[in-house]
Amino acid sequence: MSGLRGGPPARMMGGGDANAQRARNAEAPKVEHLLRRITELFQPYRMPIILTIVLVLVAAALSVIPPLLTARAFDVGLFPTGGGGPNLPALGEIVGAMIGLYIITTLLGVWQTYLTATVGNKVMGALRVRLFSHLQAMDLSFFTKTKTGVIQSRLQNDVGGVASVLTNTISSVLGNTVTVIAAFVAMLLLNWQLTIVAVLLMPILVIAQRRVGQVRARIATKTQESLSDMTAITQETLSVSGILLSKSFNRQGTEIARYADENANQVRLQVSQQMSGQVFFAMVSIFLSSIPAIVYLVAGFLLDNGAADITAGTIVAFTTVQARLLFPLLGLLRVALDLQTSGALFARIFEYLDLVPQIADAPGAVDVPTRQAAAGRVSFDDVTFRYADASPTSRATLDRVSFDIEPGQFVAFVGPSGAGKTTVSYLIPRFYEATGGRVLFGGVDVRDLKQQSLISHLGIVSQETYLFHATIAENLRYAKPDATQNGLETAAKLANIHDRILSFDDGYDTVVGERGYRLSGGEKQRIAIARVLLKDPAVLILDEATSALDSISERIVQQALDTAARGRTTIAIAHRLSTIVAADVIFVVENGEIVERGTHADLLAAGGAYAALYSEQVTAAIAG
């Protein structure tokens, strides 16, 4: 039966081998590319690396001399070949040379450690800053689709995970390689027959090391993914918002269980990663530790048969050299495993560095025109927008929208939730890119403007005010780092928050807490308005800035907004129509289209969508 079925399995096996070979051939360029990119990280530090190489080579070369001196100590100093007692003068010279070499190699090792630690940590630091800078350049859609904890994990866990490799690889590879080669040379000089015995099984260790490294690389990838998930859970649930949510719904137990499950997975992966190489290194250690005993046996056999001229000094020196071979060889094998493991981490880091921002300055981008009147003009010319992950058959978020906002005008966009109002505010600063038509600022297509220059002319106050865990003054200076105390107070007075700030014990040095949770919603909004006023933009965008406030806070904040809007173009995304009745133009948005436009009085008189919205809110206010 097996003979009848022998053909097909053989062909299948051959196909499997071919597929495996093709996979290896495809993987080789990726590995080479990854190694080249890792090597490029060290390019700015060529001189310290060259000096390190020199120190490593010198120290490694010197480290094999003491075993040779050991043979001399036995054969010349302790047991001279001519007979008689020990040759103390010769022995003193040899011992002095050995001690001197130990001192020199130790000092060289300290210097080498300093250089490698400096270079490694600088490379790691530069890599972290480079990754952070690249993420800062990513478009808004990347952050809406990626958990903050996952991003934090790439910056902290992944970059931190390669720290030891960056710090120790150069010295370890060079030093151990030179030591191993020099030790082999010394062993050959002492006795070539014993050297063959010592290195007979080395190729098997190299093959085993490669297999173990592949396993550890796969486990490392899974470990970092698990760390990302743990960081994301921590960031989501231990933030002020997350804690309030879990306490409000009594879900602390659920969050603890979710974290505990992922933590158990992380523990399992960490144990697997550490144990994956232990059996291998145990075998290596047993093998290398057993070689001296085998050498004694082989030496005895050779002496008994007269096949070699071996002295006691030769045997002692040979086993000493072989013992010195143990740790460098283990070090090389560990570095090889670490490099395979860290390759997975580098791949994850480069994966983020290779992300291309969807929105970037065009090659010929220019600054916004300096004329204040031109800078304050905003126009949409037949603009269409659809989110990248939206279905091709779904309705566009904005569909062929056109309007003009003149410098100094106060305009408002109203309409039901999901109509596309906020999207309008995102397209002006190019947080998202229009998929059709043109968005003009100062008469220039925003795609032809430098985004940094564009945003410098815009001030945005959103419904969800974000404040850093810092003082009020530091939060205000985020808009203008060189602002004076007088400038801060002027902006705060215009925002109707100065007196409230002074009522705090620490005044402008009051720490607001994470996301400003020590302040009320109205206080946070007014600080946000003061921050925008400190920036003094040509165009002010208000994205439902008062919709989450109570009526008293809304009235106070609205007064601050009215002050902020004075003398500048203002675009208000409004939910409460009572806040925009004085607007020069009101645009009514439904299903991504502008269905009405005009003043408050004109739109009420028209009796259309705006009049219906206004009537509905008035009725709700009376009922409330």
Side-chain angles (χ1 to χ4, degrees), residues 497 519-527 549-550 553-554 557:
I497 190 65
L519 306 175
S520 69
E523 290 165 351
K524 287 192 293 184
Q525 285 293 67
R526 281 180 283 162
I527 288 177
L549 303 178
D550 59 74
S553 297
E554 179 187 6
V557 171

Side-chain angles (χ1 to χ4, degrees), residues 209-221 272-273 276-277 337 340-341:
Q209 173 270 324
R210 183 181 179 187
R211 294 293 178 88
V212 173
Q214 292 170 345
V215 172
R216 291 188 71 180
R218 288 195 294 270
I219 296 174
T221 300
S272 297
Q273 184 170 337
S276 60
L337 284 179
Q340 285 180 278
T341 302

Side-chain angles (χ1 to χ4, degrees), residues 66-76 79 183 186-195 197-198 290-304 308-324:
L68 300 178
L69 292 176
T70 299
R72 296 281 297 171
F74 269 80
D75 296 336
V76 177
F79 309 106
M187 289 163 65
L188 284 170
L189 292 174
L190 289 167
N191 188 274
W192 66 268
Q193 295 102 323
L194 297 180
T195 303
V197 175
S290 301
I291 287 180
I294 297 173
V295 166
Y296 297 147
L297 179 63
V298 173
F301 178 79
L302 293 174
L303 287 170
D304 186 58
D309 183 17
I310 303 175
T311 66
T314 298
I315 296 174
V316 172
F318 190 92
T319 53
T320 301
V321 173
Q322 189 277 324
R324 292 181 66 84

